[in-house]
């Protein structure tokens, strides 16, 4: 099995990466081989962050007037110029933005490289100013749409005062908001760590916002007996939460009972919800059937013990970025196994990339994206076995990066080395493995999930604040209890090495974006 690790793919120019590529060359992947990335990971990381940071511009990634994120931007198929924003967003995109800023204000050099590579000393102020605007935007939304109680629906982002998207009027999702709540929790801790008066003042205001919404979230999403609405229908978004004519109901049969990113909501309610002991127990009782032990065994790889995924998409482990799950040994070992499987499955299937839910490719004639691919993962260890496995995305490398930055970035590099997979704003969303098309857009999910992973997530900030709040040990107790009940202490496959990519994205004749094209010398 370990021989799979010995399949480095020498992509790019023959010249050594020791000669620093010019900073204006956005097609920098061609200057690196896999071996060079493994040998000089820090310098590759710095270059990657420099270019990914080109995304962080007003009218490309966010609304400079009110501080909120855009879902992203659409690229011209030929030039690679950002020609229009995706003028909506959601609490999940906001969470990524806030996690990034939390790292910047506490002084992360990597976060500064992303936010302001030319003037890294400006990064904390950039983050602080945008978060001040964001707070005012949230507070105004609370005033104009009190029925959301502080929760954020999918919203129209290209206006000063945000409003729900047309299909999210009187509706709100739990999962995205759970990601947002914990990101704000980390942001408050990052501000307080600085011991700066201006930062502490903003931390106090964000804490007031978080304290305001916490009891409302139970009213909006929690139906008792462990039942959390996946999406809640609001009786009237213009009436306060406690108004006698207000009402909240779960939309259909959807409940948030997964052991993946949706679990962030359950932990928020358990730790801050002022629930009875029986209600706290019920939160986990309804979730237990979904936490399932499985084994990956394909070809000569395995058996490797894993947690069965929904799709086993690279999007599903999001929760480990925000809560200190890896402080629990059995979870850390299990999720390391997941990355052994994720990387080695691509070797077994001769796939040049990794799989995660992502936007499909762009129609080159209309410049329209051909929908969204949710079912993208590893069918043999997933609940949902009907999947679309022809499109890979660089961001699917982020969970690998959490365990081995060099190997994770080698996979990221292999995918962005495909034609049109780098642009003047960094990496491109996704590519077909046969090289026949790419998704010519930029999104927070497909870019900043990777960046936040490189920054280590915010789990350590959350850990510190949980300890200050006296609830860290309760988090550990519940997380360890739930996973130990299913996985015990014995996991198979821990001797398997993470696998490195062995085949490139096929060159099917696509032309690189003209604003970022470069021929290999």
């Amino acid at each position: 099995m370990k021989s799979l690790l010995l399949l480095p793919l020498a992509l790019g120019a023959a010249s050594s990466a020791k000669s620093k590529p010019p900073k204006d060359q956005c097609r920098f992947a061609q200057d690196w081989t896999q071996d060079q990335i493994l040998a000089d990971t820090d310098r590759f990381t710095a270059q990657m962050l420099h270019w990914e940071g080109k995304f962080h511009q007003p009218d490309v990634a966010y609304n400079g007037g009110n501080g909120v994120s855009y879902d992203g931007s659409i690229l011209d198929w030929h030039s690679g110029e950002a020609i229009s924003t995706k003028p909506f967003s959601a609490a999940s995109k906001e969470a990524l933005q806030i996690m990034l800023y939390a790292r910047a204000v506490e002084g992360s050099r990597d976060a500064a490289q992303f936010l302001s590579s030319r003037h890294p000393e400006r990064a904390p102020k950039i983050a602080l100013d945008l978060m001040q605007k964001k707070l005012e935007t949230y507070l105004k939304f609370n005033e104009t749409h009190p029925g959301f109680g502080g929760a954020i629906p999918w919203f129209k982002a290209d206006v000063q005062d945000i409003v729900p998207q047309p299909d999210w009027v009187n509706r709100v999702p739990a999962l995205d908001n759970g990601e947002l709540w914990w990101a704000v929790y980390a942001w408050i801790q990052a501000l307080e760590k600085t011991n700066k008066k201006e930062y502490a003042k903003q931390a106090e205001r964000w804490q007031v916002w978080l304290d305001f919404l916490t009891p409302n979230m139970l009213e909006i999403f929690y139906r008792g007996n462990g039942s959390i609405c996946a999406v809640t229908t609001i009786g009237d978004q213009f009436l306060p939460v406690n108004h006698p004519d207000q009402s909240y109901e779960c939309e259909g049969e959807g409940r948030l009972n997964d052991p993946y990113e949706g679990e962030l909501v359950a932990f928020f309610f358990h730790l801050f919800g002022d629930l009875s002991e029986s209600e706290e127990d019920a939160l986990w009782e309804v979730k237990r059937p979904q936490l399932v032990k499985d084994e990956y065994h394909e070809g000569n790889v395995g058996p490797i013990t894993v947690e069965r995924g929904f799709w086993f998409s690279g999007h599903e482990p999001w929760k480990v970025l925000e809560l200190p799950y890896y402080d629990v040994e059995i979870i850390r070992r299990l999720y390391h196994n997941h990355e052994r499987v994720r990387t080695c499955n691509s070797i077994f299937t001769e796939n040049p990339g990794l799989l995660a839910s992502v936007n499909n490719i762009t129609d080159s004639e209309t410049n329209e994206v051909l929908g969204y691919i949710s079912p993208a993962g590893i069918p043999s260890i997933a609940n949902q076995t009907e999947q679309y496995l022809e499109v890979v995305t660089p961001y699917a490398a982020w969970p690998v990066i959490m365990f081995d930055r060099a190997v994770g970035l080698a996979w990221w590099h292999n995918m962005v080395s495909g034609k049109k997979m780098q642009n003047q704003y960094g990496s491109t969303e996704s590519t077909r493995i046969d090289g026949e098309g790419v998704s010519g857009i930029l999104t927070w999910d497909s870019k900043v999930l990777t960046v936040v992973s490189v920054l280590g997530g915010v789990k350590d900030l959350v850990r510190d604040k949980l300890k200050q709040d006296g609830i860290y040990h309760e988090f550990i107790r519940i997380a360890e209890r739930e996973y130990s009940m299913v996985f015990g202490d014995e996991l198979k496959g821990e001797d398997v090495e993470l696998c490195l990519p062995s085949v490139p994205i096929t060159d099917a004749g696509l032309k690189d974006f003209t604003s970022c094209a470069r021929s290999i010398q």
Side-chain angles (χ1 to χ4, degrees):
M1 175 60 232
K2 292 186 179 181
S3 63
L4 287 177
L5 189 60
L6 305 177
L7 296 170
L9 180 65
L11 295 171
S15 61
S16 170
K18 295 297 181 183
S19 300
K20 194 170 184 179
K23 284 194 173 183
D24 61 351
Q25 181 45 256
C26 52
R27 203 69 172 96
F28 72 88
Q30 296 177 353
D31 293 296
W32 290 82
T33 67
Q34 184 169 282
D35 284 343
Q36 290 165 343
I37 294 168
L38 298 177
D40 199 358
T41 307
D42 288 347
R43 193 155 63 83
F44 182 80
T45 300
Q47 198 167 26
M48 173 261 203
L49 291 170
H50 168 80
W51 281 105
E52 290 301 281
K54 301 293 185 182
F55 169 66
H56 192 263
Q57 300 180 34
D59 301 323
V60 175
Y62 63 91
N63 184 327
N66 61 13
V68 302
S69 57
Y70 290 122
D71 186 59
S73 285
I74 298 169
L75 302 176
D76 177 80
W77 179 255
H78 299 288
S79 71
E81 297 277 352
I83 55 175
S84 62
T85 59
K86 299 172 61 130
F88 54 87
S89 195
S92 52
K93 328 302 176 185
E94 294 288 285
L96 288 171
Q97 189 181 17
I98 294 169
M99 285 191 273
L100 172 67
Y101 295 166
R103 283 305 179 196
V105 298
E106 69 161 355
S108 164
R109 292 182 179 181
D110 283 343
Q113 179 77 358
F114 178 90
L115 284 178
S116 184
S117 65
R118 304 295 188 189
H119 301 282
E121 72 281 359
R122 298 177 184 174
K125 189 67 163 56
I126 291 170
L128 190 73
D129 288 349
L130 285 168
M131 285 297 289
Q132 182 62 37
K133 291 179 179 180
K134 188 185 295 293
L135 178 57
E136 301 301 333
T137 302
Y138 284 10
L139 293 175
K140 184 60 180 291
F141 183 76
N142 290 352
E143 291 178 10
T144 57
H145 297 77
F148 286 94
I152 305 293
W154 284 77
F155 60 88
K156 183 174 173 60
D158 60 344
V159 291
Q160 182 63 29
D161 296 334
I162 63 173
V163 296
Q165 280 285 93
D167 55 344
W168 284 94
V169 170
N170 289 318
R171 301 173 66 232
V172 64
L175 183 148
D176 303 73
N177 278 280
E179 293 165 348
L180 175 61
W181 304 332
W182 286 109
V184 171
Y185 191 78
W187 169 251
I188 294 167
Q189 178 66 14
L191 290 174
E192 291 176 343
K193 278 183 64 177
T194 67
N195 293 316
K196 296 180 180 179
K197 186 175 181 180
E198 180 186 7
Y199 289 38
K201 184 177 180 180
Q202 193 183 123
E204 290 175 4
R205 294 191 69 205
W206 275 107
Q207 186 66 61
V208 169
W209 178 85
L210 196 59
D211 291 342
F212 161 77
L213 70 81
T214 299
N216 293 339
M217 296 307 96
L218 285 166
E219 180 70 24
I220 292 171
F221 292 113
Y222 190 58
R223 302 279 75 86
N225 297 317
S227 178
I228 300 172
C229 302
V231 175
T232 294
T233 299
I234 303 171
D236 187 340
Q237 64 190 19
F238 300 115
L239 292 179
V241 173
N242 59 358
H243 193 283
D245 294 333
Q246 185 61 280
S247 64
Y248 298 99
E249 296 181 0
C250 291
E251 187 172 281
E253 300 300 316
R255 299 295 183 272
L256 198 65
N257 58 6
D258 66 274
Y260 318 118
E261 52 198 313
E263 191 166 279
L264 292 169
V265 177
F267 264 118
F268 192 82
F269 287 171
H270 182 107
L271 297 173
F272 301 109
D274 196 25
L275 296 172
S276 67
E277 185 176 344
S278 62
E279 288 290 349
E280 288 177 352
D281 290 342
L283 286 172
W284 305 101
E285 289 168 1
V286 301
K287 286 168 53 60
R288 283 178 192 144
Q290 283 65 246
L291 183 60
V292 177
K293 185 177 184 179
D294 207 341
E295 287 185 0
Y296 177 89
H297 197 170
E298 300 288 351
N300 66 336
V301 182
I304 303 176
T305 305
V306 297
E307 169 190 321
R308 183 180 299 165
F310 189 75
W311 293 299
F312 212 87
S313 159
H315 203 286
E316 289 169 16
W318 180 309
K319 67 182 184 182
V320 305
L321 290 169
E322 299 198 62
L323 285 173
Y325 280 94
Y326 291 168
D327 290 4
V328 179
E329 183 182 9
I330 188 62
I331 299 178
R332 176 183 53 77
R333 290 166 52 205
L334 178 68
Y335 275 54
H336 198 165
N337 264 7
H338 289 186
E339 303 322 305
R340 294 179 172 103
V341 167
R342 210 181 304 279
T343 56
C344 295
N345 179 72
S346 287
I347 298 300
F348 172 74
T349 58
E350 299 184 346
N351 192 321
L354 301 174
L355 295 154
S357 303
V358 74
N359 283 287
N360 204 343
I361 66 169
T362 297
D363 183 324
S364 61
E365 298 297 324
T366 65
N367 220 67
E368 296 290 327
V369 174
L370 302 177
Y372 189 83
I373 305 168
S374 291
I378 303 178
S380 66
I381 47 174
N383 290 326
Q384 306 298 309
T385 57
E386 293 296 319
Q387 300 194 24
Y388 188 84
L389 307 178
E390 284 72 40
V391 172
V392 294
T393 177
Y395 96 81
W398 80 259
V400 188
I401 290 169
M402 297 290 282
F403 287 99
D404 191 315
R405 180 183 288 191
V407 174
L409 289 178
W411 280 100
W412 185 90
H413 169 263
N414 205 48
M415 288 178 273
V416 303
S417 294
K419 290 294 182 70
K420 299 182 90 75
M421 282 303 291
Q422 285 183 292
N423 58 74
Q424 61 182 301
Y425 312 97
S427 60
T428 306
E429 174 94 351
S430 65
T431 177
R432 286 187 58 86
I433 60 177
D434 60 12
E436 294 284 350
V438 305
S439 184
I441 59 173
L442 316 166
T443 66
W444 281 88
D445 278 17
S446 72
K447 298 174 74 63
V448 182
L449 260 174
T450 309
V451 172
V452 169
S453 177
V454 168
L455 302 178
V458 293
K459 58 188 183 297
D460 57 329
L461 292 170
V462 170
R463 176 197 299 120
D464 291 345
K465 189 163 172 58
L466 288 174
K467 288 182 177 180
Q468 289 177 17
D469 291 342
I471 50 180
Y472 171 75
H473 291 296
E474 179 67 1
F475 165 76
I476 294 296
R477 182 182 75 85
I478 297 299
E480 186 169 38
R481 181 191 72 189
E482 296 303 308
Y483 274 83
S484 295
M485 287 174 63
V486 176
F487 296 94
D489 190 52
E490 297 295 324
L491 303 177
K492 298 178 182 178
E494 293 184 272
D495 60 331
V496 176
E497 301 281 358
L498 295 171
C499 291
L500 286 161
S502 62
V503 294
I505 301 291
T506 302
D507 184 348
L510 289 181
K511 300 297 182 183
D512 277 331
F513 295 117
T514 57
S515 63
C516 193
R518 181 181 181 186
S519 60
I520 298 178
Q521 303 298 318

